[in-house]
């Protein structure tokens, strides 16, 4: 069970003091058997190349690799120089899927986070495929990176004004 809480959109709209229409929410997939990340402290500062890419390079790269004539699984290259571009704001390559791999600010709407944290209905297997789930710290890091807006580089100057909390 995931216990991350989201304030209702109506309350957020009221808090924002704005009468603007609430933007359409990205689709959240149906998930099951998610790991709780409540025990891992929220991390506010990270660097994509130093903190996130090593997860791909260590645990995903032999399938999601792109060199020579090899095609990466699911048309998702997690090579160091390509991974950010293949993930952020990119749609799933699975036929008929309307899910987005990484929706900045919205881990629960991001296929990537759900695929490493849960079983996702009608979206293949949990990643890393046919291996043990990622350690909770790495799942949490992916969550927190997306929540921080999925920055491409370091984020020493991120100011957190978001309402979502993990745990
Ligand atoms: C043993 C090979 C293998 C490993 C290791 C692996 N993947 Fe995958 N991945 C696949 C295959 C095959 C698919 C497509 C079928 C599926 O989703 O089950 C896929 C699909 C995906 C998708 C969905 C892409 C889309 O467009 O729908 C994501 C996201 C993903 N993998 C992330 C990861 C991450 C992150 C890791 C490492 C933590 C990882 N994978 C490790 C083989 C692998």
């Amino acid at each position: 069970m995931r216990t991350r809480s989201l304030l209702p959109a109506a309350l957020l709209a009221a808090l924002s003091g704005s009468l603007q229409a609430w933007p359409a929410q990205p689709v959240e997939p149906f998930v099951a058997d998610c790991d709780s990340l409540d025990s891992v402290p929220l991390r506010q500062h990270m660097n994509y190349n130093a903190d996130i890419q090593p997860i791909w390079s260590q645990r995903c790269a032999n399938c999601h690799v792109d060199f020579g004539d090899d095609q990466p699984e699911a048309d998702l290259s997690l090579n160091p120089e390509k991974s950010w571009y293949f993930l952020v704001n990119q749609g799933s390559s699975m036929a008929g899927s309307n899910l987005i791999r990484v929706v900045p600010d919205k881990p629960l709407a991001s296929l990537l986070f759900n695929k490493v944290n849960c079983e996702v209905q009608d979206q293949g297997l949990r990643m890393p495929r046919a291996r043990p789930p990622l350690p909770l710290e790495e799942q949490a890091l992916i969550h927190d990176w997306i929540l921080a807006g999925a920055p491409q580089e370091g984020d020493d100057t991120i100011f957190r004004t978001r309402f979502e909390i993990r745990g």
Side-chain angles (χ1 to χ4, degrees), residues 27 29 31 90-94 97 99-103 106-118 120-121 123-124 127 146:
V27 181
V31 294
Q90 299 302 308
S92 166
S93 62
M94 187 170 267
S97 173
L99 297 171
I100 306 292
R101 289 172 176 167
V102 170
V103 183
K106 302 212 176 299
L108 302 191
S110 298
L111 178 60
L112 169 71
F113 173 67
N114 285 299
K115 289 269 280 186
V116 299
N117 183 239
C118 313
V120 186
Q121 188 178 308
Q123 289 283 325
M127 295 292 140
I146 297 174

Side-chain angles (χ1 to χ4, degrees), residues 1-4 35-42 136 166-167:
M1 276 298 291
R2 291 193 288 192
T3 57
R4 287 179 196 73
D35 284 338
S36 170
L37 303 180
D38 292 358
S39 61
V40 187
L42 190 70
L136 297 184
R166 175 163 59 71

Side-chain angles (χ1 to χ4, degrees), residues 32-161:
D33 299 329
C34 303
D35 284 338
S36 170
L37 303 180
D38 292 358
S39 61
V40 187
L42 190 70
R43 180 145 156 197
Q44 301 197 8
H45 299 292
M46 70 202 71
N47 177 289
Y48 184 78
N49 289 321
D51 300 314
I52 305 292
Q53 180 63 44
I55 302 175
W56 313 151
S57 298
Q58 186 185 350
R59 305 197 189 268
C60 326
N62 55 334
C63 294
H64 294 285
V65 72
D66 180 10
F67 62 83
D69 293 334
D70 281 350
Q71 283 299 309
E73 295 286 7
D75 291 328
L76 171 59
S77 170
L78 295 176
N79 282 23
E81 71 283 8
K82 294 184 178 172
S83 59
W84 190 89
Y85 297 98
F86 272 76
L87 288 170
V88 178
N89 290 318
Q90 299 302 308
S92 166
S93 62
M94 187 170 267
S97 173
N98 60 351
L99 297 171
I100 306 292
R101 289 172 176 167
V102 170
V103 183
D105 301 334
K106 302 212 176 299
L108 302 191
S110 298
L111 178 60
L112 169 71
F113 173 67
N114 285 299
K115 289 269 280 186
V116 299
N117 183 239
C118 313
E119 304 289 342
V120 186
Q121 188 178 308
D122 299 330
Q123 289 283 325
L125 300 181
R126 186 168 174 174
M127 295 292 140
R129 195 178 161 104
R131 295 180 186 172
L134 293 180
L136 297 184
E137 290 72 19
E138 294 183 8
Q139 296 182 36
L141 198 53
I142 295 166
H143 175 279
D144 296 347
W145 167 65
I146 297 174
L147 184 63
Q152 189 175 3
E153 316 249 329
D155 74 335
D156 288 345
T157 55
I158 278 191
F159 294 94
R160 302 187 60 80
T161 57

